[in-house]
Amino acid sequence: MNIGIIGAGAIANVMLGRINHDAHENLKVNSVLVRDMEKYQHLEREFGIQLYTDLDDFLASDIDIVVEAANVEVAKSVLPQVLREKDAMLISVGALADGETVAQLMQIAKTNDTALHLPSGAIGGLDLLQNAQSHGELESVKLTTRKPAAALTYERIEAEKAVFEGKAADAIQHFPKNMNVAVILAMAGIGMERTQVILIADPRTDKNTHHIEVKGVFGKASFTIENDPLPENQNTSYLAAISILGTLERMNRNFIIGG
């Protein structure tokens, strides 16, 4: 599978290293779309890729799928055109926080027979939510996220403090850069309006921790993920980065587990 990446930040560099540098058996990054050609010229030499600054030229290159690894604003601006021509994987899932965007992208994908893939990112257990929700047997989903205080508030605090408590739809509006997990959880489960979120600023931690509680006709489930950051970029979750690679690898398999 030939891959095109939008963006050249931490996640793009992890992909280039794990796929091209390590000579992945079934995957190869061929093209990368950037804003500044000169700044990222070294990537061409280091990883054997072609840089582009024009979206049309990028989409016309030898790629089967586009991985968006930029930011919410870029994702919103380019995804409609990308999905008219290619399958895509969205990393900045905050772009799907409003129903209008979701409906638009779903229609474009359906009309053009393309697909938008959303990797699990910094959490797991999404197969459980999707399986329960597909039969309407999911009753409640609650996410409690704990992050270093400096990531959530400018206020100097000595003890942990809940900076938000309410539905996912409101959490995303108030903390757009910190609620990717809430978006993917809500989309896999019972939606933005019914998914409950508690966001805690904790001055005593240097990790992001997500605790998820699920109830339904099937029973109850809970799981906790404590994320270490990428060594290359302390602002990016290690699990979020490798979930992209795992999703791409599973798309190429003939033997599929779960889902």
Side-chain angles (χ1 to χ4, degrees):
M1 179 188 292
N2 292 334
I3 303 162
I5 305 175
I6 297 176
I11 285 184
N13 275 271
V14 169
M15 291 180 64
L16 288 167
R18 298 286 182 95
I19 295 174
N20 285 22
H21 189 271
D22 294 346
H24 195 285
E25 183 181 3
N26 299 311
L27 305 175
K28 185 181 179 184
V29 179
N30 278 356
S31 310
V32 177
L33 181 69
V34 296
R35 288 178 176 171
D36 187 338
M37 182 80 74
E38 187 176 346
K39 181 178 179 180
Y40 298 106
Q41 200 74 56
H42 65 281
L43 296 178
E44 290 190 327
R45 300 186 298 272
E46 188 173 352
F47 298 109
I49 54 95
Q50 179 69 50
L51 291 178
Y52 294 87
T53 56
D54 180 80
L55 181 59
D56 290 326
D57 291 342
F58 169 75
L59 292 174
S61 66
D62 184 18
I63 53 177
D64 303 306
I65 187 169
V66 172
V67 176
E68 175 279 319
N71 56 54
V72 168
E73 291 73 24
V74 170
K76 282 186 173 183
S77 67
V78 304
L79 267 181
Q81 184 175 344
V82 170
L83 280 175
R84 290 186 182 97
E85 301 183 39
K86 304 283 182 180
D87 288 351
M89 182 178 294
L90 177 64
I91 311 307
S92 305
V93 294
L96 304 180
D98 67 278
E100 250 182 63
T101 300
V102 174
Q104 179 198 26
L105 295 177
M106 286 177 67
Q107 185 57 52
I108 291 171
K110 182 178 180 180
T111 301
N112 295 277
D113 193 26
T114 55
L116 179 60
H117 300 270
L118 307 177
S120 57
I123 58 169
L126 296 183
D127 55 342
L128 185 154
L129 269 74
Q130 291 179 95
N131 292 339
Q133 181 59 12
S134 67
H135 291 280
E137 297 184 350
L138 199 56
E139 295 170 355
S140 67
V141 178
K142 180 181 177 182
L143 167 68
T144 302
T145 290
R146 182 184 303 272
K147 291 193 172 190
L152 297 174
T153 179
Y154 293 111
E155 180 186 355
R156 291 183 63 84
I157 56 176
E158 301 299 323
E160 66 178 50
K161 177 181 179 180
V163 295
F164 178 85
E165 187 167 356
K167 57 188 181 182
D170 292 335
I172 294 155
Q173 295 301 319
H174 287 90
F175 297 91
K177 294 182 179 179
N178 291 279
M179 284 285 95
N180 273 8
V181 168
V183 174
I184 198 73
L185 195 65
M187 294 197 72
I190 54 179
M192 306 285 185
E193 295 294 324
R194 293 175 59 199
T195 300
Q196 294 300 302
V197 174
I198 298 175
L199 188 55
I200 298 172
D202 188 344
R204 297 168 299 181
T205 188
D206 60 354
K207 301 182 186 297
N208 295 340
T209 303
H210 307 288
H211 180 69
I212 297 151
E213 300 170 76
V214 180
K215 295 180 183 179
V217 177
F218 67 91
K220 299 179 182 178
S222 64
F223 42 100
T224 301
I225 300 96
E226 185 178 274
N227 279 311
D228 285 324
L230 268 177
E232 300 92 335
N233 187 323
Q234 295 296 301
N235 294 319
T236 301
S237 157
Y238 194 99
L239 184 57
I242 63 174
S243 77
I244 301 160
L245 298 169
T247 302
L248 288 166
E249 287 169 352
R250 286 190 294 275
M251 289 166 62
N252 257 338
R253 290 178 185 170
N254 300 111
F255 194 90
I256 300 169
I257 301 171

